Amino acid sequence: ADLHDNVGSGLTEISILSELASQKIKDVSPDSSNSLNVISEKARQLIDGMSDIVWMVNPHRDSLSHVILRLKDTYSDLLYSSGIAFKTSHLEKLSSLKLPMEYKQNLFLIFKEAINNAIKHSNCKKISLEASLNKDTLELLLKDDGSGISTEKKAEGNGIVNMKARASAIGSDLFINSSSEGTLIKFVGK
């Protein structure tokens, strides 16, 4: 709470003050105005990152449903403004599934990257996230109806490599199947 209240409010103040200063001097010194906008944007990014960290360490938000709700909250504005429908299935059955912090963190970051990629690169109109638990195996399926992941994109970025490394770090597997009709990301964890 202290981290959120003290550091968060300070970063918010920096962001607002630098935006206001940028507006005041944009006609007089465009370069300085741009620098202040960069400061404001960096402060907003730090606020978002800190918010994720504060959420991550909160012991009262340790279930799978909390992870999914956080993903939905993180992307709700961007999904809405992009005209992308985001649907979840079968999550209510897993609201009692408690996750250790490291597991929760890696799972969240895997799917944050996956949703971010779908929004930015796939030109999709629908994203769905489905969860199931069979004995001790957790399975999450993220599907989009976009244009798929190009071979060039796979070779260029670290996103997929990082996602698979995160899954491996928590003893899980990540499978990606992509075509011109969309992408399916399957997480299988224990």
Side-chain angles (χ1 to χ4, degrees), residues 35 63 95 103 109 112 148 163 167 169 185:
S35 294
S63 73
S95 62
Y103 198 97
L109 292 173
K112 186 175 179 182
M163 290 164 60
I185 296 176

Side-chain angles (χ1 to χ4, degrees), residues 149-168:
I149 303 169
S150 72
T151 308
E152 292 169 11
K153 287 277 186 209
K154 284 183 187 176
E156 285 174 10
N158 292 321
I160 292 173
V161 172
N162 291 343
M163 290 164 60
K164 287 187 174 191
R166 286 187 179 283
S168 180

Side-chain angles (χ1 to χ4, degrees), residues 83-133:
I84 300 172
F86 185 66
K87 180 184 171 195
T88 57
S89 302
H90 309 299
L91 300 181
E92 62 283 345
K93 295 177 187 175
L94 302 174
S95 62
S96 63
L97 179 61
K98 303 296 182 197
L99 304 173
M101 187 169 57
E102 181 185 4
Y103 198 97
K104 177 177 78 166
Q105 176 185 20
N106 282 294
L107 189 64
F108 176 75
L109 292 173
I110 289 166
F111 282 93
K112 186 175 179 182
E113 177 75 17
I115 293 169
N116 192 47
N117 288 343
I119 294 168
K120 284 186 172 179
H121 305 297
S122 78
N123 298 313
C124 68
K125 292 296 171 204
K126 295 178 193 167
I127 300 173
S128 65
L129 180 59
E130 185 177 324
S132 63
L133 184 63

Side-chain angles (χ1 to χ4, degrees), residues 4-143:
H4 183 269
D5 293 346
N6 295 328
V7 178
S9 64
L11 287 170
T12 300
E13 191 173 344
I14 289 168
S15 178
I16 292 169
L17 290 172
S18 57
E19 269 183 52
L20 291 172
S22 172
Q23 291 300 317
K24 286 181 183 178
I25 66 166
K26 77 177 175 184
D27 293 332
V28 178
S29 178
D31 287 343
S32 295
S33 177
N34 287 338
S35 294
L36 287 166
N37 283 329
V38 169
I39 292 169
S40 179
E41 179 58 31
K42 187 63 174 176
R44 274 190 247 113
Q45 290 171 1
L46 289 169
I47 292 165
D48 290 344
M50 189 195 60
S51 178
D52 283 348
I53 292 167
V54 168
W55 174 82
M56 199 66 63
V57 298
N58 186 333
H60 300 296
R61 295 190 174 109
D62 63 351
S63 73
L64 177 63
S65 60
H66 285 118
V67 171
I68 305 305
L69 288 173
R70 180 69 180 185
L71 286 167
K72 287 175 86 170
D73 288 347
T74 299
Y75 287 103
S76 63
D77 291 341
L78 186 55
L79 287 163
Y80 179 77
S81 65
S82 301
I84 300 172
F86 185 66
K87 180 184 171 195
T88 57
S89 302
H90 309 299
L91 300 181
E92 62 283 345
K93 295 177 187 175
L94 302 174
S95 62
S96 63
L97 179 61
K98 303 296 182 197
L99 304 173
M101 187 169 57
E102 181 185 4
Y103 198 97
K104 177 177 78 166
Q105 176 185 20
N106 282 294
L107 189 64
F108 176 75
L109 292 173
I110 289 166
F111 282 93
K112 186 175 179 182
E113 177 75 17
I115 293 169
N116 192 47
N117 288 343
I119 294 168
K120 284 186 172 179
H121 305 297
S122 78
N123 298 313
C124 68
K125 292 296 171 204
K126 295 178 193 167
I127 300 173
S128 65
L129 180 59
E130 185 177 324
S132 63
L133 184 63
N134 186 6
K135 296 183 182 174
D136 289 336
T137 303
L138 172 64
E139 189 173 287
L140 293 169
L141 301 174
L142 184 77
K143 302 176 197 174

Side-chain angles (χ1 to χ4, degrees), residues 122-124 144-150 177-183:
S122 78
N123 298 313
C124 68
D144 71 56
D145 64 351
S147 57
I149 303 169
S150 72
N177 186 359
S178 189
S179 72
S180 60
E181 296 179 11
T183 299

